[in-house]
Amino acid sequence: MTPVLMLGAGRLGGALIEGWSRFGGPAGADLMILDPSPSDAARAAGRAGALLSPGPAELARAGTVFLAVKPQVWRQAAAAITGDLNRDAVIISVAAGVRAADISEAFEGRPVARVMPTTAVAVGRGVASLFAHNPEAGRRARILFGPVATVVDLPREDLLHAATGVSGSAPAYFYAFVEALEAAGVTAGLPADAARDLARATMVGAAALLDASGEDPAELRRQVTSPKGTTEAALAVLMGEGGLGPLLEAAVAAAARRSAELGS
């Protein structure tokens, strides 16, 4: 299974490296990183013993290859190293939308697992949607993501498009909501720093309660919504016609469509 070769160590690859260093994963000596512009996390891993910019001899030792480059350049990245890999290497791809069959073909038939993680793997709170035809590839993906993410197995590869919309892209939805809530607070008259602190701390606390309580979010919503109160007035706007429900359905559908387009 090791050494693990990170083919690409930008935002997502760097987040994974950071999470491994803090919560368990390949030790520095078991990690190789190939990226022309490595992230701060990759450079820190290099100082901890990871091999940066491995050559052909080192590439031949890789047991697992993480394909963590942008979907638009994955074929070039694969072509640059495939001839140097050993035949038993397993590929784990986090390239959005790129089909396992295409990846396997580009890597000369090697087994593939596809994973759609969130960057919260850096703090050990990521989510990773996983699909693998090959049991060994799936096993390795679960082992490597287990310390830093909740791993959700999907029964069909095409469901990764929906998972991208619901999970992979969703942190940005949350950040956009907090950004808009801060701005709404300022519009309502709050000082900018007060609006920032109130919005961020409230969202973090609500997420923590959802996680700790195990309650259904609809039940938690009902618990804080008094009849004819302020929250009910606000929810009449947020959950009314054209509100959050339809907007999020459209957002998830748009992300899923784009994921499918990237794979073509």
Side-chain angles (χ1 to χ4, degrees):
M1 181 166 167
T2 58
V4 173
L5 169 65
M6 294 293 298
L7 185 56
R11 183 69 187 93
L12 182 52
L16 188 55
I17 292 168
E18 185 176 349
W20 283 340
S21 72
R22 297 173 62 188
F23 302 101
D30 290 328
L31 192 61
M32 300 188 290
I33 302 169
L34 185 59
D35 191 311
S37 302
S39 62
D40 290 343
R43 288 191 287 270
R47 293 190 293 272
L51 178 62
L52 303 183
S53 301
E58 289 82 15
L59 293 174
R61 297 191 298 109
T64 305
V65 178
F66 261 91
L67 181 62
V69 298
K70 288 180 169 51
Q72 295 86 344
V73 300
W74 77 269
R75 287 190 182 275
Q76 299 95 300
I81 69 164
T82 299
D84 296 318
L85 298 176
N86 71 68
R87 290 303 313 170
D88 295 328
V90 169
I91 315 301
I92 298 176
S93 172
V94 296
V98 184
R99 295 180 300 175
D102 293 334
I103 297 168
S104 182
E105 180 181 12
F107 281 96
E108 299 179 343
R110 291 175 174 87
V112 174
R114 285 187 58 195
V115 183
M116 177 50 61
T118 62
T119 53
V121 292
V123 294
R125 298 299 300 270
V127 179
S129 305
L130 167 65
F131 173 80
H133 277 304
N134 181 275
E136 175 60 16
R139 184 187 73 86
R140 294 191 190 190
R142 290 183 201 95
I143 289 173
L144 290 169
F145 278 94
V148 295
T150 297
V151 180
V152 178
D153 286 284
L154 299 177
R156 303 194 321 269
E157 184 174 13
D158 64 298
L159 293 175
L160 281 166
H161 299 311
T164 297
V166 171
S167 177
S169 298
Y173 314 161
F174 175 76
Y175 302 142
F177 183 89
V178 176
E179 181 183 11
L181 186 58
E182 291 180 15
V186 172
T187 300
L190 288 170
D193 57 347
R196 180 195 63 232
D197 293 346
L198 286 168
R200 297 183 190 191
T202 300
M203 293 300 100
V204 170
L209 180 60
L210 176 65
D211 182 49
S213 70
E215 291 274 11
D216 189 273
E219 174 57 28
L220 291 175
R221 172 177 55 79
R222 284 190 288 269
Q223 290 175 12
V224 296
T225 305
S226 300
K228 301 188 182 305
T230 59
T231 305
E232 185 178 76
L235 287 176
V237 177
L238 286 173
M239 302 183 71
E241 184 176 356
L244 280 178
L247 281 174
L248 284 174
E249 285 184 11
V252 168
R257 284 195 302 271
R258 183 55 182 154
S259 175
E261 291 168 0
L262 289 171
S264 63

